[in-house]
Amino acid sequence: MSTHHHPLKQPVYDPQTSFIYDDGLWAIIDQCANPSIEQVRAVLEKARQCQGLTLEETAVLLQNTHPELDEELFAVAREIKDTIYGNRIVLFAPLYVSNHCANSCSYCGFNADNHQLKRKTLSTDELRREVEILQDMGHKRILAVYGEHPRNSVNAIVDSIKTMYDVKHGDGGEIRRINVNCAPMSVEDFRVLKSAAIGTYQCFQETYHKATYEKVHLKGKKKGFNYRLYAMHRAMEAGIDDVGIGVLFGLYDHRFELLAMLAHVQELEQNCGVGPHTISFPRIEPAHGSELSERPPYEVNDDCFKRIVAITRLAVPYTGLIMSTRESAEMRKELLELGVSQISAGSSTAPGGYQKALERQHDAEQFSLGDHRPMDEIIYELVTDSKSVPSFCTGCYRKGRTGDHFIGLAKQQFIGKFCQPNALITFREYLNDYASDRTREAGNALIESELASMSPARERNVRTCLAKTDGGERDIYL
């Protein structure tokens, strides 16, 4: 199968006009209120075909009032996740490069009016040290995070990415994919960012409800709703074909937010030729220096949150769903079952936080973490509790299997062909280089049981790669 991908469609759009129509979305919500058991089951049945859902079908599931149907929803989410992603879970770590920020967002601890916060942008040496610590944990994939501030110009960001890729620490330590979460840019700046060989460009709208957006973004460039809304159009125009979107749940009605985010997905598919590579689900968590974060205006409880994740898995079956360490270990375990395909592990959300964790000091983070387990423990539990294969694979990105090419392959259920073998090979690398004895033992047992379920030809192929890995070769992928 060829691995070159098609040029992105050049988007045509009017940056002055929002494609989020509040009245239209509320009309859908009202029209689909109080669905019958039959209506809900009909949508669940359609979802099992892995073709996604319309906004109306999504609104039906969001407003289901029959608790006995929740289990049916969760079962379909598990089934879809298993069909498309198998039992592998991609692992990454956030690396906060700078908490300098010129915006005042009332839900965020990094907001410019929080004068208690010690501001920090990592020096080259400090950045190298953070990357070395992450490599010592076994990470191969980083999400680099930058506050929106003049000092975090595109050139400064590109320099820091180059530094991170250059760090080679210990025997097998290297970062193979850097995804970037930073302020929206112009098309020209996005082209410069693309030149740094980034993976996914990630930017969250926070809230798609314009009146709420204007109320919580008090000053700074982020005040411009439409400029942020069209960030992904500009990124794709610049040739970045993997983008990640998300909503900060708790700022406005979750039904509106989820439908609006799916309208964003549809807009990208129609206008740019491919939807987002990933969707994230942050919930507002308490943050020092943010009163709003202590009492979110539209709090989303755990049961509602689980439904949101499961419904999203049904609505966009081929999109990666990301869950950060904001959530507790228990909650993350449940959400893995319901469709999450990527998680962060062993995270810190303060610049220099990994070094400080080694020194047992803690600076103010962007938000409170819920899952404080070290990486090895998270991996041990993934393997023993949920029989999930931790994946450190970055093969698709380097083989050009990105953007619409990735989605096209995913729709042919290529995961078994590439992703599962690559997950096993990169997991073995982790086990050999970084794991504790108990994790290595449990992990190797899981690899054997996965191999046993493969076709003889594929098993031979993967065993050859595992033998090379055991012999000291690194970074092998199909």
Side-chain angles (χ1 to χ4, degrees), residues 187-202:
V187 175
E188 295 69 41
D189 282 355
F190 273 130
R191 285 200 180 102
V192 176
L193 184 63
K194 179 180 165 59
S195 73
I198 67 162
T200 304
Y201 168 68
Q202 191 187 69

Side-chain angles (χ1 to χ4, degrees), residues 55-101:
L55 297 183
E56 288 76 10
E57 289 161 344
T58 306
V60 165
L61 296 184
L62 275 169
Q63 298 182 97
N64 165 42
T65 53
H66 311 283
E68 68 274 23
L69 293 183
D70 281 349
E71 273 318 309
E72 292 181 33
L73 163 68
F74 296 159
V76 176
R78 281 186 202 106
E79 189 183 312
I80 291 174
K81 181 184 175 213
D82 206 47
T83 302
I84 293 171
Y85 286 90
N87 62 338
R88 63 193 181 91
I89 296 295
V90 171
L91 293 161
F92 71 94
L95 200 171
Y96 280 67
V97 181
S98 171
N99 65 9
H100 278 95
C101 193

Side-chain angles (χ1 to χ4, degrees), residues 10-11 28 56 79 86 107 175 246 281 299 382 438 444:
Q10 281 301 303
I28 291 173
E56 288 76 10
E79 189 183 312
Y107 48 80
I175 300 302
F281 298 87
E299 193 149 7
L382 279 174
R438 72 169 190 164
N444 282 326

Side-chain angles (χ1 to χ4, degrees), residues 42 70 106 156 240 242 302 344 356 369 373 378 385 429 446:
D70 281 349
S106 52
I240 295 172
D242 277 358
D302 287 355
S344 51
K356 291 210 168 73
L369 296 181
R373 294 171 299 163
I378 287 175
D385 285 1
E429 204 179 310
L446 179 64

